[in-house]
Amino acid sequence: MPWGKDSPFCRLGELDARMLGLGAGFNFMTALHTVECLLFDEVPFFRGVFDGTIRYRWQRANGETGEHEYMRRTGDIRPQRLRRYFGPDTCVDAKISNLRILAADAKPFIERAVSLGRRGITMYIQPVPRPELFVSSKGP
């Protein structure tokens, strides 16, 4: 999964790293996508944001070749819908002249995003986030 537990984003959370976005605001906080990957098996809604697997072959300049496969994410998102849930304790917006800056500590940011996802609070508007799709498929 592109943003799953083995992804660079989750690794940043494990290291408790700081994520920094220059020139982009909250709408470009890619770490928000960790939610659909981390909750894929737990919350039925998040299985609906993927519609298949993409496989491709690659070749490096040194001639090394390989294959890669990932699940394709679809849907329509509005990340700004989540901004109000990320206060200054989790995510900071700043501006220097006309340069937008966004900073967040990866671990609490991802933990907050996953917690919201479990509660049915998501950036997705398509597929429609119907409440019944957020009932955990795992036991207590």
Side-chain angles (χ1 to χ4, degrees):
M1 302 194 93
W3 300 281
K5 62 183 177 63
D6 297 321
S7 72
F9 290 105
C10 285
R11 182 72 179 128
L12 289 172
E14 291 169 14
L15 296 171
D16 201 17
R18 172 145 303 165
M19 300 179 293
L20 180 65
L22 299 175
F26 192 84
N27 284 343
F28 296 97
M29 196 59 146
T30 308
L32 287 170
H33 288 295
T34 59
V35 174
E36 63 245 21
C37 295
L38 296 176
L39 295 181
F40 181 85
D41 291 325
E42 180 181 334
V43 179
F45 173 80
F46 294 107
R47 289 190 286 278
V49 304
F50 295 96
D51 76 343
T53 301
I54 303 290
R55 180 183 295 226
Y56 63 90
R57 297 183 54 72
W58 52 266
Q59 182 175 355
R60 293 193 171 132
N62 68 4
E64 180 184 359
T65 63
E67 284 190 8
H68 181 70
E69 179 178 291
Y70 66 95
M71 294 182 67
R72 185 174 91 145
R73 182 187 60 80
T74 62
D76 192 3
I77 60 172
R78 299 292 185 276
Q80 197 60 33
R81 292 174 55 164
L82 297 180
R83 181 63 185 103
R84 66 185 171 127
Y85 297 100
F86 291 85
D89 62 318
T90 310
C91 186
V92 177
D93 287 302
K95 199 170 186 180
I96 298 175
S97 185
N98 64 344
L99 177 65
R100 294 182 70 183
I101 300 170
L102 185 89
D105 291 324
K107 185 176 182 174
F109 185 90
I110 291 169
E111 287 172 350
R112 171 85 43 91
V114 168
S115 173
L116 291 168
R118 283 191 174 110
R119 293 174 29 212
I121 301 168
T122 179
M123 66 181 166
Y124 281 88
I125 61 170
Q126 265 316 313
V128 176
R130 297 188 325 268
E132 65 270 17
L133 295 174
F134 288 90
V135 176
S136 175
S137 57
K138 291 188 174 192

